Amino acid sequence: MKLKIPMLAAAAAMVASLAQAADSLKVGVTTTGIPFTFVDTATQQPTGAMVDLAQAIAEEMNTGASFEITQFSALIPALTTGKIDVISAGMYATDKRREVVDFSTPVYSYGDALFVAAGDDTAYQLDDLKGEVIGAQIGTTFADKLQALGIFKEIKLYDSLVDIMRDVKLGRIKAGVGDEPIIAYQVSQNPGLGVHLVEGYTPMGKGDVALAVSKDNPDLLKAVDAAIAGMKASGKLDEIFAKYGL
């Protein structure tokens, strides 16, 4: 990819190794991460805060962006096998993931949330659910943390948060754990989901969202970081997230 980064004097050196790549950034996104990444029902095109961010980064580089819709658990394999150039989703930059990919500077931070059926008003903490069956999304840090607690009868793994919400609503599992801003947005927009966030829940932790790049592409990572730095300085980064209530 031939990229020009006007804000950097050493642009040519930074992008030299990208010269043989594609004409636009191939960006991996998932459709289940509202409001970070999802499909606009009117246009049938990927949209969301991380989609807008990836598009803005591409514009800073004077190139285009194409979006590849991928299940969350398949995003990193798609990146490491060269099917995509960048992951731009609601993905935490964790030490475990850093073993296989590189992350940009953080662009957003948040923690996990606990949700139960709409008619259940109990103020649960995780310890209160000992011996219960709860759900989490496959490939997430939340699933790993729940497994490590070792107090649940079963942790069922799902491809999407919507699938977890369905089973919580139907009583197939007691509760679900996932990304707080994603769950909050979906519940506020669709009361028919039949679940609600547990008030007063203490998250297992808070993480930083960042874009992921292959370890074989350090120049692209530098270019992404430079674009993010420019948008932080101009206020554009905050504007992108504010557009989606984040």
Side-chain angles (χ1 to χ4, degrees), residues 1 3-8 11 14-15 25 52-63 86 88 104-107 211 213 218-238 240-241:
M1 175 185 301
L3 303 177
K4 297 179 181 179
I5 307 172
M7 69 183 71
L8 299 177
M14 177 177 290
V15 301
L25 278 177
D52 287 4
L53 176 58
Q55 186 66 58
I57 288 172
E59 290 173 1
E60 289 283 336
M61 296 177 179
N62 286 345
T63 188
V86 179
S88 188
S104 70
T105 53
V107 296
L211 285 78
V213 176
D219 289 333
L220 177 57
L221 179 64
K222 291 177 183 177
V224 169
D225 278 341
I228 292 171
M231 285 188 282
K232 283 184 176 180
S234 69
K236 187 172 183 177
L237 184 67
D238 288 340
I240 288 173
F241 286 104

Side-chain angles (χ1 to χ4, degrees), residues 65-225:
S66 60
F67 295 93
E68 302 290 332
I69 297 174
T70 308
Q71 286 189 350
F72 188 88
S73 59
L75 285 170
I76 288 180
L79 181 63
T80 57
T81 56
K83 294 178 181 178
I84 57 176
D85 300 314
V86 179
I87 296 171
S88 188
M91 177 178 283
Y92 281 168
T94 66
D95 290 339
K96 183 177 180 180
R97 288 170 177 155
R98 283 192 178 94
E99 293 176 3
V100 291
V101 301
D102 285 334
F103 283 99
S104 70
T105 53
V107 296
Y108 192 79
S109 299
Y110 68 87
D112 56 288
L114 178 70
F115 58 94
V116 295
D120 187 346
D121 294 326
T122 306
Y124 296 107
Q125 297 295 330
L126 289 177
D127 288 344
D128 299 322
L129 298 172
K130 182 178 180 180
E132 298 284 359
V133 179
I134 64 173
Q137 192 174 3
I138 189 170
T140 63
T141 60
F142 308 133
D144 294 337
K145 289 180 178 180
L146 292 170
Q147 294 280 9
L149 290 176
I151 63 173
F152 306 105
K153 179 180 180 181
E154 181 185 357
I155 299 167
K156 294 193 67 174
L157 300 179
Y158 296 80
D159 287 330
S160 74
L161 284 170
V162 173
D163 292 335
I164 305 174
M165 292 177 184
R166 177 202 63 223
D167 278 6
V168 170
K169 176 183 178 180
L170 295 175
R172 294 171 179 166
I173 61 176
K174 183 66 175 179
V177 173
D179 313 74
E180 190 278 332
I182 295 176
I183 297 167
Y185 185 91
Q186 293 192 21
V187 170
S188 69
Q189 297 297 310
N190 187 4
L193 289 171
V195 301
H196 72 97
L197 293 176
V198 174
E199 292 187 14
Y201 168 72
T202 302
M204 292 181 286
K206 192 174 184 179
D208 293 325
V209 173
L211 285 78
V213 176
S214 169
K215 284 185 173 293
D216 296 329
N217 208 344
D219 289 333
L220 177 57
L221 179 64
K222 291 177 183 177
V224 169
D225 278 341

Side-chain angles (χ1 to χ4, degrees), residues 20-32:
Q20 301 302 317
D23 292 333
S24 66
L25 278 177
K26 292 180 291 183
V27 184
V29 298
T30 178
T31 63
T32 59

